[in-house]
Amino acid sequence: MSKQTAIRLPDDTYERLKALSERTGRTSAYYIREAIEKHIEDMEDLYLAEEATRRIQRGESKIISAEEFWRDLDN
């Protein structure tokens, strides 16, 4: 199952997308979907890294060395 959504694009981005679609015979929706699927994992990873950094800054998490990490796995 798929869901439909609407987005607003800057005029220049829209024109580039429209031109690409016309040149290749693929729909704009195809390229939008491809761009999201290609980059969403990176965006998720960035969000998680930023959240981990905030937890460390607030003192809710700590950084440990690789040596501590591996030593703790043995226990």
Side-chain angles (χ1 to χ4, degrees):
M1 188 83 181
S2 63
K3 302 290 182 194
Q4 186 173 357
T5 190
I7 61 168
R8 291 190 183 277
L9 297 172
D11 290 343
D12 60 325
T13 303
Y14 174 80
E15 293 302 325
R16 289 175 62 195
L17 180 61
K18 184 177 159 188
L20 177 63
S21 298
E22 290 170 357
R23 284 194 310 267
T24 63
R26 293 192 183 266
T27 65
S28 295
Y30 169 83
Y31 287 112
I32 292 168
R33 190 171 39 255
E34 285 291 303
I36 291 170
E37 289 175 0
K38 182 175 182 181
H39 295 286
I40 196 165
E41 187 173 345
D42 292 339
M43 292 166 56
E44 291 166 335
D45 289 345
L46 177 61
Y47 171 80
L48 292 173
E50 289 172 343
E51 181 58 30
T53 299
R54 285 190 290 274
R55 284 194 315 273
I56 291 166
Q57 291 170 338
R58 291 190 303 256
E60 298 168 359
S61 295
K62 69 175 190 163
I63 298 173
I64 63 170
S65 67
E67 182 179 295
E68 284 179 279
F69 173 80
W70 290 111
R71 185 178 58 239
D72 289 347
L73 284 180
D74 291 336
N75 296 328

